[in-house]
Amino acid sequence: VKGIPVDWDAAEIRKRFSVVAGFQDSFFVKNSSGQPSGKVVVTYASKQSAEQCINQFNNRAVDNLVC
């Protein structure tokens, strides 16, 4: 997921993305300086859940930010 505010933490990601059943974990991608890049890898228990997440959030604004 791109466009994530750099001040969001794992709890915020869980809160936002666990609305789709099967949310498992998230991993924050850092830039070459070790700083947050605004990208997060979100994992789900099944391919179906991951596809549902994509359908729900892809190119949609969350707090005026497009995921």
Side-chain angles (χ1 to χ4, degrees), residues 6 16 18 30 32 35 37 40 47 50 55 58-60:
V6 296
R16 306 246 180 191
S18 65
K30 298 189 179 191
S32 60
Q35 301 299 314
S37 67
V40 176
K47 182 178 178 180
N55 291 334
N58 192 38
N59 292 317
R60 299 243 165 73

Side-chain angles (χ1 to χ4, degrees), residues 9-31:
D9 60 9
E12 187 68 26
I13 296 295
R14 177 174 294 281
K15 180 177 99 175
R16 306 246 180 191
F17 288 91
S18 65
V19 297
V20 174
F23 175 89
Q24 288 188 317
D25 202 4
S26 60
F27 172 78
F28 289 82
V29 178
K30 298 189 179 191
N31 63 23

